[in-house]
Amino acid sequence: MVDLSNVELKIENIVASVDLFASLDLEKVIEICPHSKYNPEEFPGIICRFDEPKVALLVFSSGKLVVTGAKSVEDIKAAVSKLVEMLSKIGTKFTREPEIDIQNMVFSGDLKMEFNLDAVALVLPNCEYEPEQFPGVIYRVKEPRAVILLFSSGKIVCSGAKSEQDAWEAVKKLLHELEKYGLIEEDA
């Protein structure tokens, strides 16, 4: 049976799309956003950076945002609340509460065991391995949808998950497949 007790997973980045349900005058918004950049000829939105929580926001006149760099969902909620508070002070009217949709979560992790990636690539379904191009096996999980990069050291990167639970489920499926095909040695 797959044992997850030794496995480590850590959130490295979360990307979310947000609808503020408000139209924004970006010329006014740029004045209240510290550490921001706006060049409409180059990009149609404001690139705004917050130090606390440490995130970057792409702010569009439609009231839509992309938030990236967060280490937790709470950081995204805090950043959106902070921006809403700033926008309220310049008279922005919101028709309802912001809607946050997690698009992608990236995790780093450690399976705490080493792998022969040539052997893994030969028998593991849904994977790619081109060692001349990239030093890890690329394993695709269909449900929940995620991609896991597996390195010979047992280190992993999981991306595409929409929640921490999805990431754990994807890792569990990878470990199950590795066990099923005899690629995990049982402890003596």
Side-chain angles (χ1 to χ4, degrees):
M1 189 61 211
V2 174
D3 178 19
L4 293 175
S5 61
N6 282 338
V7 176
E8 290 177 5
L9 270 188
K10 177 183 167 219
I11 297 173
E12 296 295 339
N13 183 28
I14 303 175
V15 177
S17 58
V18 180
D19 192 339
L20 295 178
F21 298 101
S23 291
L24 304 177
D25 178 346
L26 296 184
E27 295 296 338
K28 282 185 181 175
V29 175
I30 190 71
E31 293 174 17
I32 61 158
C33 278
H35 317 294
S36 57
K37 185 176 133 189
Y38 181 45
N39 185 343
E41 290 81 37
E42 246 180 60
F43 184 72
I46 294 173
I47 302 165
C48 178
R49 297 185 197 294
F50 287 166
D51 290 331
E52 194 51 48
K54 192 163 176 52
V55 299
L57 302 95
L58 303 179
V59 182
F60 299 95
S61 60
S62 62
K64 303 257 200 289
L65 315 173
V66 175
V67 183
T68 185
K71 300 281 189 188
S72 70
V73 174
E74 290 71 31
D75 281 354
I76 290 175
K77 290 177 181 172
V80 171
S81 292
K82 183 175 180 175
L83 184 64
V84 164
E85 192 176 309
M86 292 163 66
L87 293 170
S88 295
K89 289 179 180 168
I90 60 165
T92 305
K93 302 284 181 242
F94 303 93
T95 57
R96 55 186 261 211
E97 288 294 305
E99 193 173 279
I100 299 171
D101 188 21
I102 304 300
Q103 297 297 321
N104 183 27
M105 296 180 83
V106 178
F107 297 81
S108 62
D110 193 346
L111 301 181
K112 305 282 174 92
M113 57 186 106
E114 293 188 354
F115 295 93
N116 174 338
L117 296 185
D118 290 314
V120 169
L122 278 174
V123 297
L124 194 66
N126 305 316
C127 78
E128 299 168 37
Y129 183 47
E130 298 287 339
E132 309 81 30
Q133 294 173 8
F134 185 73
V137 166
I138 302 167
Y139 177 70
R140 298 184 191 287
V141 181
K142 288 186 174 51
E143 192 55 46
R145 219 175 125 128
V147 174
I148 299 175
L149 307 177
L150 171 66
F151 300 92
S152 60
S153 63
K155 301 275 195 236
I156 59 172
V157 173
C158 176
S159 68
K162 297 226 180 202
S163 69
E164 192 162 357
Q165 183 180 339
D166 283 357
W168 279 105
E169 191 60 36
V171 169
K172 192 170 160 184
K173 285 187 176 181
L174 169 63
L175 286 169
H176 176 77
E177 290 289 292
L178 291 168
E179 188 177 71
K180 179 171 131 184
Y181 290 104
L183 297 163
I184 295 178
E185 308 260 291
E186 291 300 317
D187 290 339

